[in-house]
Amino acid sequence: MRIRGSWRDCHPRSGNTKSIVLFDPAVPPRLSFLVFSYSLTSLLLPLFVNCLPSRVQRFIVQRLQEELKAKPGSLPFDEILYCNIGNPQSLGQLPITFFREVLALCDHPAILDKAEAQGLFSADSIKRAWQILDQIPGRATGAYSHSQGIKGLRDTIAAGIEARDGFPANPNDLFLTDGASPAVHMMMQLLIGSEKDGLLCPIPQYPLYSASIALHGGSLVPYYLDEETGWGLEVSELKKQLKEARSKGITVKALVVINPGNPTGQVLAEENQRAIVEFCKQEGLVLLADEVYQENVYVPEKKFHSFKKVARSMGYGDNDLCLVSFQSVSKGYHGECGKRGGYMEVTGFSPEVREQIYKLASVNLCSNISGQILASLVMSPPKVGDESYESYSAEKDGILKSLARRAKTLEDAFKSLEGITCNKAEGAMYLFPRIKLPEKAIKAAEAAKTAPDLFYCRRLLNATGVVVVPGSGFGQVPGTWHFRCTILPQEDKIPAIVSRLTAFHKSFMDEYRN
Amino acid sequence: MRIRGSWRDCHPRSGNTKSIVLFDPAVPPRLSFLVFSYSLTSLLLPLFVNCLPSRVQRFIVQRLQEELKAKPGSLPFDEILYCNIGNPQSLGQLPITFFREVLALCDHPAILDKAEAQGLFSADSIKRAWQILDQIPGRATGAYSHSQGIKGLRDTIAAGIEARDGFPANPNDLFLTDGASPAVHMMMQLLIGSEKDGLLCPIPQYPLYSASIALHGGSLVPYYLDEETGWGLEVSELKKQLKEARSKGITVKALVVINPGNPTGQVLAEENQRAIVEFCKQEGLVLLADEVYQENVYVPEKKFHSFKKVARSMGYGDNDLCLVSFQSVSKGYHGECGKRGGYMEVTGFSPEVREQIYKLASVNLCSNISGQILASLVMSPPKVGDESYESYSAEKDGILKSLARRAKTLEDAFKSLEGITCNKAEGAMYLFPRIKLPEKAIKAAEAAKTAPDLFYCRRLLNATGVVVVPGSGFGQVPGTWHFRCTILPQEDKIPAIVSRLTAFHKSFMDEYRN
């Protein structure tokens, strides 16, 4: 329980709240009583959501950038290679043309009727823009929408979910949000009333969940993914952790599953998903299914199945299971992170609870309309016969196939290195290799007052300009060390990443080999 | 203290937390322990942010809409007239062409180079789109940005603030957000550590503040605006309430000022603002300045002054005052509510505190890029000499002048009615008339178990289709009754609103006159 223990200690209401004086001592003393109780946020550092490097690492990256600019040739590398954030377009991935055509037309509908528009936009993007405008009350793309999102767009998304799953979806179950993160926070706010309320979360894990649980004052109940079996999610482990948490007086409210996994990249087998659904039903847990990487599957032997489809195929309906599925426009093949679009599909909740979710959604009025439109496009892309279908498919397949190649190349490279093991990236956008660090390196890290994985990642950054995120940002079995490496740098950068990493790793091991 | 008392009782951690069982009794008993502690949200109803009608009122509006559609002519009116939400484009206001041109071009930059684009877009919108793209790293409008917002856009906004105020603005002090609401929530999260932390808030007040304080578990310390002096904000009242709160053990952290006022429409005089700044400095309070209506001033004798300008003109700098100014693209003459753009300018805070705000901002990664771009456009619109300047100015002036006329017409209409007094809408988008309800009407409301102002508003809705928000949604001096009426319905609808309201009010008074 070391991990939960340390997270619990971080809880702002657990008694170790530190307050800090806002001003320097030099400032007049009457201001000194102005004390901020921001400990709740200052304690988030180890859980940092953005998977940005820590503050120190940010400064290092910035300093390196400045040095590269000011004194080209002064560093052992000529550019910084970002393998730290799931932000595809920041690395040169182009947006899907059809999606952007429709967005542009919805932003400026005045041009829809003009002849020149037909030279600039595909016929089906013009048609789709009209359809979308007709779904928006008063065609007002600049108005607040219903706090759940525009009803017509929810209809489109529900139809997309039905087409994906083969089971009905209700537009009233959909809450459109500015990306998946606000949706997750909303559910946490709803589920957590005190630190006695717990959520089962995977370790390793995208730290959105730990951060949100800490912010809302609940308890993270960890379950470990099994690295040996390709980051397997074992129900026996869930049961063990649930029992242990209950024995400590924690009311476990929900189970978080990230599928495909982040940072671990595994895609759950349908059989495994059935067991998870059964577990949630038996134990009365809300199943929070993070399915934002549903389009990112790279291996032919695996396929994405939504948890809702799995539950429905088991004959379980609204009365059997509370299930929330999170989806985002930021991931997939499109990677539209900056548009901040997404939704959650909320099933099995009573109308009264849904009314509460609605109220929480309304606290920020509504999500942005461009993001809402994009979410509808992602769930209803061009179809066979549409003018854009071929170019759309070519763009989509090009990206997904390239990601699969990048994943394989990086995986193979990691596996070839001394002391590194690496599971396959079956899906998502990441590899999470494990490094067996020599005792001498661990001692050097301790001497530098740094976690060993951070020590390795920082050395890597300084030597090669390659930025990865240490495993301690995601949680890992104590005594093991990992880092997360995205598969997102453009394909022509991959050889440089591989060769720099390989050279660095060899020299690092030579330096510290026992 | 009745008002604060009742809000305090709503605090989810104050002991009156109710939990509810999620499922119907009909559902298998093993699920019945699945208890949601969502009291924190269920208690928000009276503070409802959206200024949407309450759930019941929403159902009434929906039923009326359906009846109008199914049986035209069956109701005493032929359309519903929405005077409840500050959502201009939902009522037919058109977006500013230049803003939308630039947004469309940034959404689909591939067309920027094409000849047809010059027939569809103004030359300066094309130029501006290029400028903006060059400000975005990698020209990637689909990438997560820095969690504070894209640096180049912050530079533009800072320059706009400097031009407005005549004092420097630092782009690193700006946090771009999905509208002003998330920015307010962020500051509340930072300022509130326990229910002993209080914020001075105006009554009446846009209920974002009361809702956010309740959500974050703090205490609302009310100060009353003086209706007699045109909703004056008296420092003597601030001092009185601060003293009283402190005597109860509340640590008052901040003062919220909404200028121009919502729902009250007043514009503060500069002299008054100076006194408020002095008060905050003396008492060591953070000044949270809601300045989202800064473009909406309708009377020649008043002018908007930002609190930062006022503080700087008094010689007060970063060491004297912690000041946050909230701005939004949703208001102003543009009313781009659905775009969810805005920013806060955070000055006077130490680097450590700013780092905490940055972390909070990063919890949702970044605000949407279209909203960020729009915020930069709003703070840097076309200038004299730009191709779009004339059409832009004509659109802007047309909207603002029309709003001023609507405000005056509605104000005059209200003032002509028996028992109604109404302050001028000097700014913002609202009138907040006071109704002296006859004793008999109050008794009838009590018999119907409804607040008297809600009783009046519901009768108005059922009789005329005019939707307004009861004053109890904003707070009011106990025993007084108001409603908020927007000035946003298009100008050709105003006569119908006036005549329906007038006829209804006469018959209501006839029915209930003592």
Side-chain angles (χ1 to χ4, degrees):
Chain A
M1 294 279 75
R2 215 176 65 87
I3 286 177
R4 187 172 73 218
S6 67
W7 268 319
R8 180 78 51 76
D9 293 341
C10 290
H11 179 231
R13 291 189 180 86
S14 69
N16 70 341
T17 306
K18 287 174 244 159
S19 292
I20 70 122
V21 174
L22 189 62
F23 291 97
D24 293 343
V27 174
R30 81 164 163 280
L31 288 177
S32 68
F33 75 89
L34 186 68
V35 165
F36 271 62
S37 50
Y38 70 69
S39 53
L40 75 171
T41 55
S42 66
L43 292 162
L44 280 180
L45 193 61
L47 321 169
F48 203 30
V49 168
N50 212 342
C51 300
L52 288 168
S54 67
R55 194 179 179 190
V56 177
Q57 206 154 351
R58 261 189 291 147
F59 286 137
I60 299 177
V61 172
Q62 205 179 331
R63 182 177 50 76
L64 293 174
Q65 272 174 330
E66 284 159 10
E67 259 183 74
L68 281 175
K69 211 171 168 183
K71 289 181 266 171
S74 64
L75 293 174
F77 47 88
D78 54 359
E79 68 172 324
I80 299 194
L81 292 168
Y82 295 92
C83 303
N84 56 325
I85 313 182
N87 193 7
Q89 295 192 31
S90 73
L91 300 176
Q93 182 177 308
L94 292 175
I96 299 293
T97 305
F98 176 80
F99 294 170
R100 293 305 193 96
E101 285 182 319
V102 176
L103 285 182
L105 290 166
C106 290
D107 265 344
H108 192 34
I111 63 175
L112 269 166
D113 278 330
K114 301 210 174 148
E116 291 98 329
Q118 290 171 22
L120 284 181
F121 296 90
S122 62
D124 54 338
S125 71
I126 293 176
K127 195 176 150 201
R128 182 69 74 94
W130 277 121
Q131 281 171 358
I132 288 171
L133 289 169
D134 286 339
Q135 289 174 323
I136 301 177
R139 292 184 176 166
T141 54
Y144 293 128
S145 73
H146 188 289
S147 293
Q148 283 186 246
I150 291 162
K151 174 62 167 55
L153 300 178
R154 283 187 278 135
D155 290 339
T156 305
I157 294 170
I161 295 171
E162 281 188 22
R164 181 193 69 195
D165 291 347
F167 290 96
N170 183 344
N172 294 328
D173 291 343
L174 298 175
F175 289 78
L176 273 58
T177 50
D178 293 312
S181 304
V184 169
H185 292 306
M186 243 186 269
M187 288 311 302
M188 294 297 175
Q189 189 141 33
L190 191 81
L191 287 161
I192 296 170
S194 81
E195 58 183 323
K196 288 286 174 198
D197 293 325
L199 288 98
L200 275 159
C201 294
I203 303 293
Q205 149 209 194
Y206 177 59
L208 168 63
Y209 296 93
S210 45
S212 191
I213 291 171
L215 270 173
H216 293 105
S219 288
L220 187 144
V221 181
Y223 66 88
Y224 287 88
L225 301 173
D226 183 15
E227 188 162 11
E228 303 301 313
T229 59
W231 300 112
L233 200 174
E234 303 300 330
V235 170
S236 56
E237 164 75 1
L238 296 177
K239 285 184 176 161
K240 185 184 126 196
Q241 299 293 354
L242 176 67
K243 199 175 157 192
E244 194 169 326
R246 284 183 179 160
S247 76
K248 292 177 176 171
I250 305 288
T251 305
V252 179
K253 296 284 188 78
L255 167 69
V256 173
V257 178
I258 309 175
N259 179 45
N262 177 4
T264 41
Q266 86 284 18
V267 178
L268 297 180
E270 195 175 355
E271 200 41 48
N272 195 186
Q273 291 184 269
R274 287 171 167 264
I276 293 164
V277 166
E278 194 58 49
F279 168 75
C280 287
K281 180 173 153 43
Q282 291 296 331
E283 301 293 350
L285 300 180
V286 176
L287 177 51
L288 300 175
D290 181 333
E291 301 182 323
V292 301
Y293 294 100
Q294 56 189 262
E295 304 267 9
N296 299 88
V297 179
Y298 308 118
V299 290
E301 66 271 23
K302 288 285 180 79
K303 199 175 156 351
F304 169 77
H305 302 283
S306 80
F307 269 103
K308 186 165 150 243
K309 174 184 164 183
V310 171
R312 296 293 177 269
S313 71
M314 294 166 75
Y316 292 156
D318 271 344
N319 286 339
D320 300 295
L321 188 73
C322 288
L323 172 60
V324 184
S325 166
F326 301 100
Q327 166 66 315
S328 169
V329 305
S330 304
K331 308 304 168 184
Y333 52 90
H334 30 83
E336 290 278 17
C337 305
K339 293 294 173 187
R340 312 311 295 124
Y343 69 79
M344 58 176 172
E345 186 187 12
V346 169
T347 54
F349 294 84
S350 71
E352 291 73 26
V353 174
R354 199 152 56 195
E355 177 72 14
Q356 300 311 315
I357 304 176
Y358 173 74
K359 274 192 219 165
L360 273 181
S362 75
V363 163
N364 282 327
L365 300 132
C366 66
S367 63
N368 83 87
I369 305 298
S370 296
Q372 292 189 26
I373 292 171
L374 192 48
S376 82
L377 296 172
V378 161
M379 296 307 285
S380 175
K383 305 212 168 15
V384 180
D386 293 346
E387 182 185 313
S388 295
Y389 180 73
E390 275 188 39
S391 63
Y392 159 77
S393 296
E395 289 174 2
K396 173 181 167 176
D397 293 347
I399 292 167
L400 287 174
K401 281 181 183 150
S402 168
L403 286 172
R405 285 191 301 270
R406 292 178 236 174
K408 187 80 182 73
T409 306
L410 286 167
E411 178 204 328
D412 289 345
F414 287 134
K415 288 201 314 208
S416 75
L417 299 179
E418 178 189 354
I420 291 194
T421 53
C422 184
N423 281 322
K424 206 181 269 188
E426 299 174 331
M429 297 176 168
Y430 317 100
L431 288 155
F432 198 62
R434 176 173 170 182
I435 341 167
K436 259 208 176 123
L437 290 169
E439 212 41 53
K440 217 168 124 188
I442 293 173
K443 290 234 163 71
E446 276 167 8
K449 297 198 163 98
T450 313
D453 51 356
L454 178 58
F455 180 77
Y456 179 89
C457 294
R458 246 182 229 165
R459 288 283 304 264
L460 173 68
L461 171 59
N462 279 308
T464 66
V466 174
V467 197
V468 296
V469 185
S472 39
F474 306 92
Q476 51 201 346
V477 170
T480 69
W481 309 109
H482 301 76
F483 59 88
R484 190 184 80 166
C485 177
T486 71
I487 58 170
L488 297 176
Q490 288 297 287
E491 215 161 348
D492 59 355
K493 305 278 187 202
I494 301 291
I497 294 171
V498 169
S499 64
R500 289 194 206 172
L501 230 153
T502 304
F504 163 77
H505 187 77
K506 281 186 178 148
S507 93
F508 183 91
M509 293 303 273
D510 286 346
E511 186 177 347
Y512 291 107
R513 197 176 291 108
N514 294 325
Chain B
M1 295 279 79
R2 214 176 66 86
I3 287 178
R4 188 173 70 219
S6 66
W7 269 318
R8 182 78 52 76
D9 293 342
C10 290
H11 179 231
R13 290 189 180 84
S14 69
N16 71 341
T17 307
K18 287 173 245 161
S19 291
I20 70 121
V21 174
L22 188 64
F23 291 98
D24 294 343
V27 175
R30 80 167 164 278
L31 288 175
S32 69
F33 75 88
L34 187 68
V35 165
F36 271 61
S37 50
Y38 68 69
S39 54
L40 74 171
T41 54
S42 66
L43 291 162
L44 281 180
L45 193 63
L47 322 168
F48 203 30
V49 168
N50 211 341
C51 299
L52 288 168
S54 67
R55 194 180 179 189
V56 177
Q57 207 154 349
R58 261 189 289 145
F59 286 135
I60 299 176
V61 171
Q62 205 178 330
R63 184 177 49 76
L64 293 174
Q65 273 174 329
E66 283 160 10
E67 259 183 73
L68 280 176
K69 212 171 167 184
K71 290 182 266 174
S74 65
L75 293 175
F77 47 88
D78 53 359
E79 67 171 326
I80 300 194
L81 293 167
Y82 295 92
C83 303
N84 54 327
I85 313 181
N87 193 8
Q89 294 192 32
S90 74
L91 301 175
Q93 181 178 309
L94 293 175
I96 299 293
T97 305
F98 176 80
F99 293 170
R100 292 304 193 98
E101 286 181 319
V102 177
L103 285 182
L105 290 166
C106 290
D107 265 343
H108 192 34
I111 63 176
L112 269 166
D113 277 329
K114 302 211 173 146
E116 292 98 329
Q118 290 171 23
L120 285 181
F121 296 90
S122 61
D124 53 340
S125 72
I126 293 175
K127 194 174 153 203
R128 182 68 73 94
W130 277 121
Q131 281 171 359
I132 288 171
L133 288 170
D134 285 339
Q135 289 173 324
I136 301 178
R139 291 184 177 166
T141 54
Y144 293 127
S145 73
H146 188 289
S147 293
Q148 283 185 247
I150 291 161
K151 174 61 167 54
L153 300 178
R154 284 187 277 135
D155 290 339
T156 305
I157 294 171
I161 295 171
E162 281 187 24
R164 181 194 68 195
D165 291 346
F167 291 96
N170 183 344
N172 294 328
D173 290 342
L174 298 175
F175 288 78
L176 273 58
T177 50
D178 294 310
S181 304
V184 169
H185 293 305
M186 242 186 271
M187 288 311 301
M188 294 298 174
Q189 190 141 34
L190 191 81
L191 286 162
I192 296 170
S194 81
E195 59 183 320
K196 288 287 172 197
D197 293 326
L199 288 98
L200 275 160
C201 293
I203 305 291
Q205 154 212 188
Y206 176 58
L208 168 64
Y209 297 93
S210 45
S212 191
I213 291 170
L215 270 173
H216 293 105
S219 288
L220 189 145
V221 181
Y223 66 88
Y224 287 88
L225 301 173
D226 183 14
E227 187 162 11
E228 303 300 313
T229 58
W231 300 112
L233 198 174
E234 303 301 332
V235 170
S236 55
E237 165 74 1
L238 296 177
K239 285 184 176 160
K240 186 184 124 198
Q241 299 293 354
L242 176 66
K243 199 176 156 193
E244 195 169 325
R246 284 181 179 163
S247 76
K248 292 178 176 171
I250 305 285
T251 306
V252 179
K253 296 284 188 77
L255 167 69
V256 173
V257 178
I258 309 175
N259 179 47
N262 178 4
T264 41
Q266 86 284 17
V267 178
L268 297 180
E270 195 175 354
E271 200 41 47
N272 195 186
Q273 291 183 271
R274 288 170 165 264
I276 293 163
V277 166
E278 195 58 48
F279 168 75
C280 288
K281 180 174 153 44
Q282 291 296 331
E283 301 293 349
L285 300 180
V286 176
L287 177 51
L288 299 174
D290 181 334
E291 300 182 325
V292 301
Y293 295 100
Q294 57 189 264
E295 303 267 9
N296 299 89
V297 178
Y298 308 118
V299 292
E301 67 271 22
K302 287 286 180 78
K303 199 173 155 354
F304 168 78
H305 303 282
S306 79
F307 269 103
K308 184 163 151 245
K309 174 183 164 182
V310 170
R312 295 294 176 269
S313 70
M314 293 166 76
Y316 292 155
D318 270 344
N319 286 340
D320 300 295
L321 189 72
C322 289
L323 172 61
V324 184
S325 166
F326 301 100
Q327 166 69 314
S328 169
V329 305
S330 304
K331 309 302 168 188
Y333 53 90
H334 32 82
E336 292 276 17
C337 305
K339 293 293 174 189
R340 312 311 295 124
Y343 69 79
M344 58 177 174
E345 187 188 11
V346 169
T347 54
F349 294 84
S350 70
E352 291 74 26
V353 173
R354 200 153 54 195
E355 176 71 13
Q356 301 310 315
I357 304 176
Y358 173 73
K359 274 192 219 166
L360 272 180
S362 76
V363 163
N364 282 327
L365 300 133
C366 66
S367 63
N368 83 87
I369 305 299
S370 296
Q372 292 189 27
I373 292 171
L374 192 48
S376 83
L377 295 172
V378 161
M379 296 306 286
S380 175
K383 307 216 165 16
V384 181
D386 293 345
E387 182 185 311
S388 295
Y389 180 73
E390 276 189 37
S391 64
Y392 159 76
S393 296
E395 289 174 3
K396 173 181 169 176
D397 293 349
I399 291 166
L400 287 173
K401 281 181 183 150
S402 169
L403 286 173
R405 287 192 299 269
R406 293 178 236 174
K408 186 79 182 75
T409 306
L410 286 167
E411 178 204 330
D412 289 346
F414 287 134
K415 289 202 313 209
S416 75
L417 298 179
E418 179 189 352
I420 291 194
T421 52
C422 185
N423 281 323
K424 207 180 269 189
E426 298 173 332
M429 297 176 168
Y430 317 99
L431 289 154
F432 198 60
R434 176 173 171 181
I435 340 165
K436 261 209 175 124
L437 290 169
E439 212 42 53
K440 219 169 122 188
I442 293 172
K443 290 234 164 70
E446 277 166 8
K449 298 200 162 90
T450 313
D453 52 356
L454 178 58
F455 180 76
Y456 178 91
C457 294
R458 249 184 225 164
R459 288 284 305 263
L460 173 68
L461 171 59
N462 278 310
T464 66
V466 174
V467 198
V468 296
V469 186
S472 39
F474 306 93
Q476 50 201 347
V477 170
T480 69
W481 308 109
H482 301 76
F483 60 89
R484 189 185 80 164
C485 178
T486 71
I487 57 171
L488 296 176
Q490 288 297 287
E491 216 161 347
D492 60 355
K493 306 278 186 201
I494 301 292
I497 293 170
V498 169
S499 65
R500 289 193 206 173
L501 230 154
T502 305
F504 163 77
H505 187 77
K506 281 185 179 148
S507 94
F508 183 92
M509 294 303 273
D510 287 345
E511 187 178 344
Y512 291 106
R513 198 176 291 106
N514 297 325

